[in-house]
Amino acid sequence: MELAKRHLLLGITGGVAAYKAAELSRELQRRGATVQVVMTEAATRFIGPPTFQALTGQPVFTDQWDPRIDNSMAHIELTRRADAIVIVPASADFLAKLAHGLADDLLSTLCLARNCPLLAAPAMNREMWAQAPTQRNVRQLTADGVRLLGPGSGDQACGETGMGRMLEPDELAEDIAAFFTAQRLAGREILITAGPTFEPIDPVRGITNLSSGKMGFAIARACRQAGGQVTLVAGPTMLPTPRGVRRFDVRTARQMHDAVMDRLDGPQARVDVFISVAAVADWRIANASTSKLKKTADGAPPQLQFAQNPDILASVAARPGAPYCVGFAAESEDLERHGQEKRERKGVPLLVANIGHETFGMDDNELLLIDAGGSHRLPRASKTELAASLVNELAARLAHPIARS
Ligand code: C5P
């Protein structure tokens, strides 16, 4: 789990977005973190400490003079155990305190006494956010190395709309997890295809496959978490776009091909890595009908003719100055031999084979990495975990390039 063994001190200040911190505390624990909550007095007006006590299984602290901490040294003890302090929500007032080094309650004292990173998720009315003092404090905090998470823009609890809205708990959890992920793909442009394609027979029918897109989306997310700039070209799937990933939706193999080539040929095009995870249809219907096919009186079925689709991966790999290309393959037998053949045929340095064929739609998988040096197994794990391992493998290969074919 990405936040395993991380101990986070979750600081809650006075704002209506405090209720979202309850959901965040669950989400952080779901990702493996332990969470210690400290609240300001104002925060307790919005949500009660027992809620966090129940959700985290830890006592909640609000008072600098809390007798539960020996020697009244709460400000030292609580921070020394933390890998990071995360302030959610961070009110305008609390940002001002942080920017000026004030320490007049437990949470602000903890922030000043910390020897760990500080992250803060601002949440306030749009006018409060836009005011010169707040913007000055934000610049100061950024210069001081405080990591601000958001804010976003949108509907606000006060009924207005604008900048200052706190990020949602799942967005915050993603950003916090990324903060703890080694930025091994920082500065890399990564293009990924994912999901199935859909080849129309007529306006209401078509041929597709069982690819869910889960593996490709998990890889897009892991690349982003590791600091890469990620563009995802996705076939038809209901999956949500991973945070920070640019997404283009396509339907057919030819549309996918064109979307990929556009990314490679654009005026400021730069792609360092191409990861082809999509289950692209090998054939399309050459005589697809523009109107719905009807049953005929003599009962004769329609005669479909197939035409071969372009091989996107092979075309990308064959371009001069091609990005580092990674292919995927679902082979049912003699994985290594067939995988090596396919890798050489497609002209790619790395081919990832699914071990076992019932992986479509599942949440876990087992992979065999095949390159010019041989093969290497990534044991069965969730697609999220496998994606993170694959990013590490990729980063190591980019750092020490081996033969490109
Ligand atoms: O040939 P096969 O479908 O087994 O190859 C799998 C690899 O090639 C995958 O990485 C897939 O995304 C890619 N591919 C492609 N365009 C096609 C067919 C496959 O990019 N038309």
Side-chain angles (χ1 to χ4, degrees):
M1 280 188 290
E2 52 204 10
L3 290 175
K5 302 204 184 87
R6 299 293 181 187
H7 186 73
L8 299 177
L9 199 155
L10 183 59
I12 300 166
T13 73
V16 64
Y19 75 94
K20 292 187 183 174
E23 186 62 42
L24 176 66
S25 73
R26 297 274 297 175
E27 187 57 36
L28 294 172
Q29 291 175 89
R30 205 176 59 74
R31 293 167 189 243
T34 54
V35 177
Q36 167 68 64
V37 170
V38 174
M39 303 175 75
T40 63
E41 205 275 323
T44 65
R45 306 287 180 123
F46 288 94
I47 183 166
T51 301
F52 289 103
Q53 195 132 345
L55 290 174
T56 63
Q58 307 280 345
V60 171
F61 295 96
T62 54
D63 178 8
Q64 213 157 355
W65 312 110
D66 196 308
R68 290 172 295 180
I69 306 242
D70 292 342
N71 312 324
S72 288
M73 295 298 269
H75 61 291
I76 304 293
E77 268 198 55
L78 289 168
T79 58
R80 293 302 175 265
R81 276 184 251 143
D83 292 306
I85 300 181
V86 190
I87 309 293
V88 177
S91 64
D93 175 66
F94 200 77
L95 291 180
K97 274 191 190 177
L98 286 178
H100 290 87
L102 298 188
D104 62 356
D105 63 5
L106 178 59
L107 188 56
S108 53
T109 309
L110 280 169
C111 290
L112 200 59
R114 78 185 189 279
N115 61 356
C116 62
L118 176 60
L119 293 77
M124 66 199 72
N125 167 269
R126 66 192 172 106
E127 299 293 355
M128 292 173 87
W129 174 252
Q131 287 297 337
T134 306
Q135 288 302 310
R136 204 163 48 232
N137 292 334
V138 163
R139 281 194 298 278
Q140 183 61 56
L141 289 170
T142 307
D144 292 346
V146 175
R147 176 70 71 94
L148 293 181
L149 310 174
S153 173
D155 292 344
Q156 302 203 305
C158 51
E160 297 182 6
T161 303
M163 198 70 184
R165 186 189 152 90
M166 194 172 82
L167 298 183
E168 295 301 324
D170 56 337
E171 296 174 318
L172 289 171
E174 282 291 285
D175 288 358
I176 294 165
F179 180 81
F180 284 107
T181 305
Q183 299 294 286
R184 302 189 69 187
L185 294 180
R188 305 281 190 185
E189 290 283 342
I190 298 152
L191 178 61
I192 299 173
T193 63
T197 62
F198 178 93
E199 306 298 331
I201 294 173
D202 69 13
V204 293
R205 303 186 182 92
I207 295 180
T208 186
N209 59 64
L210 290 175
S211 169
S212 63
K214 283 181 183 171
M215 192 71 227
F217 275 59
I219 292 170
R221 175 178 173 269
C223 288
R224 177 70 198 132
Q225 292 269 350
Q229 293 297 328
V230 183
T231 304
L232 181 61
V233 177
T237 153
M238 302 296 279
L239 295 176
T241 309
R243 181 158 168 73
V245 167
R246 218 153 54 112
R247 171 177 180 171
F248 295 88
D249 285 316
V250 295
R251 229 152 73 106
T252 67
R254 283 197 295 179
Q255 287 169 355
M256 186 174 273
H257 173 273
D258 292 351
V260 165
M261 294 307 160
D262 278 355
R263 305 279 86 66
L264 292 167
D265 289 329
Q268 281 158 2
R270 196 195 106 203
V271 175
D272 300 309
V273 181
F274 175 56
I275 312 178
S276 181
V277 199
V280 186
D282 290 319
W283 299 283
R284 65 179 175 278
I285 315 299
N287 58 341
S289 170
T290 51
S291 55
K292 187 181 169 195
L293 295 174
K294 296 200 184 328
K295 280 183 222 156
T296 51
D298 63 1
Q303 299 297 311
L304 299 182
Q305 280 154 24
F306 289 88
Q308 190 151 10
N309 273 327
D311 189 314
I312 306 168
L313 176 59
S315 332
V316 173
R319 290 167 62 101
Y324 185 92
C325 288
V326 182
F328 266 71
E331 299 288 338
S332 46
E333 68 224 18
D334 208 350
L335 216 58
E336 166 130 30
R337 188 164 62 82
H338 286 128
Q340 272 306 358
E341 281 168 14
K342 181 166 288 186
R343 191 184 71 77
E344 284 166 25
R345 195 167 62 247
K346 302 234 175 197
V348 300
L350 177 63
L351 189 95
V352 182
N354 292 306
I355 300 179
H357 24 234
E358 290 306 320
T359 62
F360 278 173
M362 306 295 282
D363 287 327
D364 59 359
N365 203 355
E366 193 177 352
L367 301 174
L368 188 70
L369 269 51
I370 303 170
D371 64 17
S375 71
H376 163 53
R377 212 179 173 94
L378 296 183
R380 179 158 292 280
S382 72
K383 288 182 176 173
T384 308
E385 287 165 310
L386 285 172
S389 306
L390 193 60
V391 161
N392 287 335
E393 296 278 349
L394 186 61
R397 284 170 166 80
L398 294 173
H400 306 286
I402 53 163
R404 283 212 159 199
S405 59

